[in-house]
Structures are given as structure tokens and as C-alpha cells.
């Protein structure tokens, strides 16, 4: 059935989205569409005085795309680009895993609920669209991680 | 009338399971399933007569050429066309592009001072007319042609009930070309194409119809439509993928500049220039899709045996049932005409509070294959202020039990998401 896709966490974020249409001092934004279904999302990015990221989004789409955007904003808001980078990388890796990866809850928190999505090729783009918009907005605002954790 | 249970035996895929439950296939508007007769025809060709057509003098080449041209005759007869007016294309999209590029290429050649048929020369001050319910395949090529030539794109809008709003003045003396869909793949609406083609001809314009959703589902005679061109695909009418049909009046096809050029489509070739074969070879550059043509011809025979009037009646009954059952569900709204008058079997709907992707996913988990999204009709979705729809499309192998399973799937989606999901906007 569909319980592996529609986890409670996902339905909760869908019905009660976090961080949607929050007013922020935006440095850049990225508008992404999923041309196969018409889902749209705009992610705005800004920076607090302490260097941490401010994220806001707006859009319309299916439960997976909207819940993923909500989870993304909750995870990334208040993180430095360096703290955000491994979370973003872990989410990308999870989406490519075809359901074969046990997600790390320490890193991904609520985003582990999307593990089941990776088993449905038609829905992976739904889960990824807000994260793609985030990465694009970061590049436009030059708010990508300056150091990598690769050698740690 | 044919027996659905009996003919389902011709479609092996219909007896498989998906997600652990029996498949209910309600996405024939996207592509139809294929009967073994069509698959066997293709296999028989490859096993017995496979060779390249229209070249070579050996026995297989002769047999292959003969089978290919007989297929063209069968397909032409299926829609009341003359055999020389049937061009094989990759798909319906290519057929529409072929006509759009005839305009584009003729216009380019006219700018070079070359002698071209003026009916295909277009520019600023001219207009092309489409409708708001076109598939992207019958919209984007005309947008592109307008962008290249400076012509203007106009369109007929859609009424609230999903009918064309055929306003006077959209087609006028500036109009050079009119292209409309016969049956909308999203709304199911069957349009009065004869009336629109007559309007086009009255101002000296040429006209085209997109038959993708009509030829598979109802009797169609291309001459009775009053059009100059028509395009449709093979794979939606029990045939293989990789083949579409462009029908055009022979007189026009033979003066149009070619689209794709190369081998097979020439008359004489010199290093400086070439001349081209008459239609249909003029538009069939390269080695064509022989097995697919043979498969599609077999599909035409299969449908002829059932009787296209019977096919239409069968689907009318199913459509009436689908509309009635959807009408009983609270929170479900059909996008398109609510009765079967001038309406085909594509039924789109939205469910309050649940995105079409989620509706489709829950239906899929019960084995029901439906299409979700904008169905390549993004402007039509925008017209009805919906991001997307869920769409049920039926064919000869569906019956009421398939619709019942679809309705059960919609109900389960409503239960799963809570009938009154209050999603904060």
C-alpha cells in the first residue's frame, strides 16, 4: 500500500507547513517547476548577521513536494552554509537510493520520512524540487559552503 | 456489439498484476495496450520479410515494400483517405511540425526570392488560429512559427462547461492557418471542426485537425472534416509506438517544401541541388518504420472488425457511467462537459484538498493506472484554475468494473487524506 510513501511526518508537514511564505530579507530566489506535472516552488534565501541562513518558500504541488519544502526550510533555517551542506548532500543521496539506504536521523531528522519516496521514480522529483531551488538560490546569493567536510 | 471479456484475451498485459493487485488500465488516452494480433503482425514481418523498403531488387525487398505500401492502403481506407495522402511520421507531433515547417521553410525560401506556393508564406500581419484546449503538440509548433515569421497567434477560448467559445472575429482576413483539436485529451470535448474548417476556408486560410483522441475512438472520415491536414498517432489506437500519420490533401502535399531531407525523398540529386519525389515519399526521408506500419495496419483491421460505431457506442456508455459515478462523490469536480453530448471518453477531475498526484498515487496502489498532471495542456489547466487533474480514459477493453475500481481508489484517497483535509494555503 502507500504507507511507505505517505509517512505521518509527511502528512503532518503537508497539512501544517512550516516556514511557508515567511517574510525574509531576501538575497536571492529560485523558481523551479516540474514540467511533467506543473508543480511550482519559489525558494528565497537570506542571511542572518551571524552568517546563518534564512529560508522561505512558496509554491503549490502534491503532498510530497509541499511536505519536502516544509521539512527543508525547517532543517536549513538557522544553519550556516557549512552546516547545511552535509544535510543537503545526505538528502540528495537518500533520494537516489531506490529505497536501499537507511537514512541517518542524526543528520536528516524529519527528512528521513522521505526514504520511501526514493522507491517511486515518478515521485523523486516531487521531493527534490524544493532542495534544487535551495541549491540554486544559494549559488545566486553566494551562500554556498566555503569549506568542505570531506577530509574530516 | 463486441464482447469485452472475449477481446480482453487478446491483450496479455491486462491480466498482469501491479503493486500486488490486478491491473486496471484506465490510461488509454496516453497510450493504448496492444493486442497479440498487432504484435504478431510485426513479428511475422521481422521473421519472414524483413528488408529495407523502396530500394533493392531482391525478393525480401519486394515483399517488404509490398507489405509497407499495403499497410498504407489499409490505414488510408480506415479514415476514408486516398493512399497518396497518407504520410508516415514518427508520431502525431512530428506530423504537426511537418506542416509548421512547410510554412517556415516556404517563408524562408520566399525571402531568398525562390519560387514557392504563396499559401505557405507567412509573416507580420498574418495570423494563425488555435484553441485554448490544444495539446502542447498543437500549440508550441505554431508559437515557434509565429516567433520566426512575425505572424500573430490567436485562439478560441473555452466556456465554463468546457466547450469552445467560437467567437466571431478570431478568424478573419489576416488568418493564414487554423489548427484545432477534434477531441480534447483533457476535457473530452468533441469540437465542431467542420464548422471551424469552413470558417478558415471562407477567409482563404488552410486548416488542420489533431485527430489523436478521435481516430482511435470513433468513426472518422478525413474528407468529411473539411480540413486540409490531419495528424494522429498509431500507439493510441492499438498500434505500435514510433508511427504517426499525417494526412494532407495531395494537391497541397505536392507543393509543400519538405521537412526532413535526405535519402528516399528525392527525385534527382546533383552536387548543386536536388529535386524531390511526390508525396508521400517526399516526406519520408531515411529508412522508414516498416514493422510499425504493418502493426498499425493490423490495428486498423482489428478495429474495423469490431466496428468503429460499436467502439464509439461502447465508450459512450462507459463515459456516461464514469460521469454518473464521479457525480455521486462529494468533493469531486469534473473538468469538462458533464454529459456525453459531443464528448468522448477522456474524463478529467479534481478532488477537493488532495493534489492530483496524490489521488493518482493512491489509485495506483489499488492497481488503477490513471494519468495525473496537466496532460500537455497547461493552458487548459490554467483556464480552469487547477494546477493539474487526474484523468480516466477508457477503451475497448474496459468495462464498468474498471470504473468501479477507479471510484474505490478515489474514495480511498479521500479517506487516507481525510475527507476534509484543511491544507493551510
Amino acid at each position: 500500500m502507500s504507507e511507505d510513501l505517505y509517512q505521518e511526518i509527511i502528512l503532518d508537514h503537508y497539512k501544517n507547513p512550516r516556514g511557508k511564505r515567511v517574510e525574509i530579507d531576501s538575497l536571492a530566489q529560485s523558481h523551479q517547476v516540474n514540467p511533467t506535472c506543473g508543480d511550482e516552488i519559489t525558494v528565497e534565501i537570506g542571511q542572518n548577521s551571524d552568517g546563518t541562513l534564512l529560508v522561505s518558500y512558496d509554491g503549490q504541488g502534491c503532498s510530497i513536494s509541499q511536505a519536502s519544502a516544509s521539512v527543508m526550510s525547517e532543517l536549513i533555517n538557522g544553519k550556516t552554509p557549512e552546516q547545511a551542506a552535509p544535510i543537503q548532500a545526505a538528502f540528495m543521496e537518500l533520494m537516489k537510493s531506490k529505497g536501499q539506504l537507511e537514512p541517518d536521523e542524526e543528520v536528516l531528522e524529519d527528512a528521513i520520512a522521505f526514504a520511501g519516496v526514493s522507491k517511486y521514480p515518478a515521485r523523486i522529483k516531487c521531493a527534490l524540487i524544493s532542495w534544487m531551488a535551495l541549491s540554486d538560490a544559494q549559488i545566486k546569493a553566494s551562500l554556498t559552503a566555503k569549506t568542505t567536510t570531506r577530509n574530516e | 456489439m463486441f464482447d469485452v471479456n472475449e477481446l480482453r484475451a487478446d491483450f496479455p498485459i491486462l491480466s498482469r498484476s501491479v503493486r500486488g493487485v490486478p491491473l486496471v488500465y484506465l490510461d488509454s488516452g496516453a497510450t493504448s495496450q496492444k493486442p497479440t494480433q498487432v504484435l504478431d503482425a510485426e513479428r511475422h514481418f521481422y521473421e519472414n520479410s524483413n528488408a529495407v523498403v523502396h530500394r533493392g531488387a531482391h525478393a525480401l525487398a519486394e515483399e517488404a515494400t509490398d507489405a509497407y505500401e499495403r499497410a498504407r492502403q489499409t490505414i488510408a481506407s480506415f479514415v476514408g483517405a486516398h493512399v497518396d495522402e497518407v504520410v508516415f511520421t514518427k508520431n502525431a507531433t512530428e506530423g504537426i511540425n511537418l506542416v509548421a515547417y512547410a510554412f517556415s521553410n516556404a517563408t524562408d525560401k520566399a525571402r531568398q526570392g525562390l519560387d514557392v506556393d504563396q499559401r505557405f508564406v507567412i509573416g507580420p500581419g498574418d495570423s494563425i488560429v488555435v484553441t485554448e484546449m490544444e495539446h502542447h503538440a498543437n500549440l508550441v509548433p505554431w508559437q515557434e512559427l509565429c516567433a520566426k515569421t512575425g505572424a500573430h497567434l490567436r485562439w478560441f477560448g473555452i466556456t465554463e462547461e468546457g466547450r469552445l467559445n467560437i467567437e466571431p472575429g478570431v478568424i478573419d482576413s489576416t488568418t493564414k492557418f487554423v489548427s484545432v483539436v477534434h477531441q480534447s485529451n483533457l476535457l473530452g470535448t468533441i469540437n465542431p471542426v467542420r464548422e471551424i474548417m469552413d470558417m478558415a476556408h471562407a477567409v482563404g486560410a488552410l486548416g488542420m485537425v489533431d485527430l489523436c483522441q478521435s481516430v482511435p475512438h470513433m468513426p472518422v472520415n478525413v474528407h468529411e472534416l473539411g480540413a486540409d491536414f490531419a495528424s494522429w498517432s498509431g500507439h493510441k489506437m492499438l498500434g505500435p509506438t514510433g508511427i504517426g500519420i499525417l494526412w494532407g490533401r495531395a494537391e497541397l502535399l505536392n507543393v509543400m517544401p519538405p521537412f526532413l531531407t535526405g535519402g528516399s525523398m528525392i527525385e534527382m540529386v546533383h552536387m548543386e541541388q536536388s529535386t524531390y519525389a511526390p508525396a508521400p515519399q517526399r516526406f519520408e526521408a531515411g529508412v522508414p518504420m516498416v514493422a510499425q506500419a504493418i502493426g498499425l495496419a493490423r490495428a486498423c483491421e482489428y478495429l474495423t472488425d469490431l466496428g468503429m460505431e460499436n467502439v464509439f457506442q461502447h465508450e459512450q456508455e462507459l463515459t456516461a457511467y464514469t460521469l454518473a459515478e464521479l457525480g455521486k462523490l462529494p468533493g469531486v469536480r469534473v473538468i469538462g462537459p458533464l454529459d456525453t453530448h459531443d464528448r468522448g471518453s477522456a474524463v478529467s477531475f479534481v478532488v477537493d484538498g488532495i493534489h492530483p498526484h496524490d489521488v493518482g498515487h493512491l489509485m495506483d496502489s489499488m492497481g488503477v493506472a490513471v494519468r495525473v498532471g496537466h496532460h500537455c495542456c497547461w493552458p487548459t489547466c490554467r483556464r480552469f484554475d487547477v494546477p493539474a487533474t487526474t484523468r480516466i480514459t477508457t477503451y475497448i477493453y474496459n468495462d464498468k468494473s474498471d470504473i468501479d475500481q477507479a471510484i474505490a481508489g478515489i474514495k480511498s484517497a479521500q479517506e487516507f487524506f481525510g475527507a476534509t483535509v484543511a491544507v493551510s494555503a
Side-chain angles (χ1 to χ4, degrees):
Chain A
M1 269 300 282
S2 295
E3 284 72 18
D4 52 344
L5 182 70
Y6 296 114
Q7 299 275 319
E8 241 352 277
I9 298 171
I10 293 179
L11 293 178
D12 181 52
H13 275 274
Y14 177 47
K15 291 174 193 177
N16 309 293
R18 279 67 132 180
K20 190 171 182 178
R21 274 190 229 132
V22 175
E23 287 279 328
I24 64 165
D25 213 351
S26 169
L27 290 170
Q29 65 171 39
S30 174
H31 177 241
Q32 299 287 323
V33 299
N34 184 347
T36 59
C37 61
D39 288 0
E40 295 184 54
I41 196 134
T42 302
V43 169
E44 289 187 45
I45 198 156
Q47 197 171 29
N48 291 306
S49 54
D50 64 359
T52 57
L53 298 172
L54 273 166
V55 179
S56 175
Y57 73 93
D58 194 9
Q60 57 85 20
C62 67
S63 60
I64 303 298
S65 73
Q66 295 303 292
S68 182
S70 171
V71 168
M72 180 274 291
S73 81
E74 206 169 53
L75 277 173
I76 303 301
N77 243 319
K79 299 271 192 336
T80 64
E82 287 71 26
Q83 289 166 329
I87 300 171
Q88 292 171 272
F91 192 76
M92 290 289 171
E93 192 189 4
L94 181 62
M95 284 303 105
K96 287 179 194 157
S97 71
K98 300 189 165 83
Q100 300 300 308
L101 194 74
E102 193 58 48
D104 185 349
E105 190 166 4
E106 290 282 301
V107 178
L108 285 173
E109 300 180 33
D110 274 5
I112 61 165
F114 293 90
V117 176
S118 68
K119 283 190 273 184
Y120 296 92
R123 305 305 293 274
I124 293 170
K125 181 82 191 272
C126 308
L128 276 181
I129 186 169
S130 56
W131 295 77
M132 307 291 259
L134 170 68
S135 298
D136 186 46
Q138 279 180 281
I139 291 166
K140 287 180 183 164
S142 298
L143 287 175
T144 51
K146 301 284 186 297
T147 59
T148 80
T149 53
R150 198 181 302 156
N151 300 323
E152 286 176 14
Chain B
M1 184 55 80
F2 50 86
D3 183 331
V4 173
N5 277 324
E6 208 172 284
L7 72 80
R8 281 177 69 91
D10 295 333
F11 296 82
I13 201 171
L14 297 178
S15 54
R16 68 160 282 186
S17 292
V18 290
R19 319 269 187 222
V21 286
L23 169 68
V24 173
Y25 189 74
L26 292 172
D27 196 17
S28 294
T31 195
S32 70
Q33 297 303 343
K34 324 299 176 198
T36 47
Q37 288 86 339
V38 167
L39 307 179
D40 287 347
E42 280 195 78
R43 186 180 185 92
H44 185 269
F45 168 73
Y46 279 127
E47 287 183 344
N48 292 281
S49 308
N50 181 48
V52 165
V53 299
H54 290 307
R55 66 205 83 184
H58 57 76
L60 292 186
E62 283 177 5
E63 277 182 34
T65 303
D66 186 46
Y68 180 64
E69 291 305 328
R70 267 189 290 122
R72 194 192 306 275
Q73 180 62 63
T74 303
I75 295 161
S77 301
F78 187 71
V79 292
H82 189 271
V83 67
D84 290 339
E85 298 180 328
V86 167
V87 177
F88 291 133
T89 59
K90 176 178 74 176
N91 49 30
T93 300
E94 186 183 297
I96 296 168
N97 274 278
L98 190 158
V99 177
Y101 272 89
F103 278 93
S104 180
N105 292 340
T107 304
D108 281 349
K109 286 181 174 176
R111 285 176 185 152
Q112 301 288 332
L114 297 170
D115 184 28
V116 292
D117 193 295
Q118 288 301 310
R119 289 172 293 183
F120 293 94
V121 178
I122 193 165
D126 294 329
S127 66
I128 294 172
V129 174
V130 294
T131 80
E132 204 177 7
M133 64 172 81
E134 296 310 321
H135 188 284
H136 297 166
N138 197 28
L139 172 60
V140 181
W142 307 116
Q143 291 174 340
E144 194 59 20
L145 178 62
C146 287
K148 283 186 283 190
T149 61
H152 291 276
L153 188 69
R154 296 173 177 176
W155 54 90
F156 291 116
I158 309 172
T159 67
E160 202 51 40
E161 65 264 26
R163 303 286 177 189
L164 273 189
N165 185 10
I166 304 175
E167 289 174 293
V170 177
I171 294 175
D172 66 12
S173 59
T174 70
T175 306
K176 292 280 289 206
F177 197 71
V178 178
S179 193
V180 298
V181 65
H182 193 190
Q183 185 201 301
S184 162
N185 69 308
L186 189 145
L187 303 167
T189 314
I190 297 173
N191 291 317
V193 290
R194 174 87 215 194
E195 182 190 330
I196 297 168
M197 291 299 116
D198 288 348
M199 289 166 73
H201 290 150
V203 297
L206 296 173
M208 180 163 194
V209 283
D210 167 0
L211 302 181
C212 283
Q213 298 290 337
S214 56
V215 166
H217 301 284
M218 66 181 83
V220 171
N221 179 304
V222 286
H223 289 285
E224 287 170 8
L225 299 175
D228 300 293
F229 301 99
S231 186
W232 71 97
S233 48
H235 69 96
K236 294 187 204 298
M237 53 183 294
L238 311 181
T241 52
I243 186 164
I245 304 295
L246 173 74
W247 169 83
R249 290 200 292 115
E251 178 261 323
L252 291 166
L253 290 177
N254 284 319
V255 296
M256 281 159 63
F259 173 40
L260 301 174
T261 55
S264 301
M265 53 76 68
I266 49 89
E267 181 185 55
M268 294 277 283
V269 176
H270 301 276
M271 283 315 294
E272 298 78 13
Q273 61 184 16
S274 303
T275 55
Y276 307 127
Q281 272 69 40
R282 185 185 191 81
F283 300 105
E284 293 180 4
V287 174
M289 55 299 272
V290 185
Q292 289 93 326
I294 289 163
L296 179 57
R298 186 64 189 90
C300 289
E301 288 167 355
Y302 189 99
L303 289 168
T304 301
D305 287 346
L306 296 180
M308 286 310 293
E309 193 55 52
N310 291 333
V311 171
F312 184 64
Q313 285 310 323
H314 169 72
E315 294 204 61
Q316 286 280 287
E317 280 171 34
L318 270 185
T319 305
Y321 185 71
T322 307
L323 290 168
E325 291 302 302
L326 285 173
K328 291 177 194 165
L329 295 179
V332 172
R333 178 163 64 102
V334 170
I335 308 292
L338 296 177
D339 60 51
T340 55
H341 173 68
D342 282 343
R343 183 201 214 294
S345 57
V347 180
S348 279
F349 59 93
V350 289
V351 182
D352 286 350
I354 315 178
H355 191 276
H357 258 197
D358 294 317
V359 175
H361 194 95
L362 270 293
M363 293 175 82
D364 175 61
S365 72
M366 295 177 67
V368 182
V370 291
R371 173 89 184 263
V372 297
H374 49 55
H375 315 288
C376 299
C377 295
W378 214 332
T380 316
C381 285
R382 234 174 255 125
R383 158 66 182 84
F384 287 93
D385 203 23
V386 292
T389 74
T390 307
R391 185 189 70 178
I392 291 172
T393 48
T394 57
Y395 208 13
I396 53 173
Y397 35 67
N398 294 115
D399 62 16
K400 287 179 181 174
S401 72
D402 295 334
I403 305 302
D404 292 340
Q405 183 70 357
I407 297 292
I410 299 165
K411 284 180 178 167
S412 93
Q414 288 181 313
E415 280 159 25
F416 191 83
F417 280 88
T420 53
V421 183
V423 178
S424 1

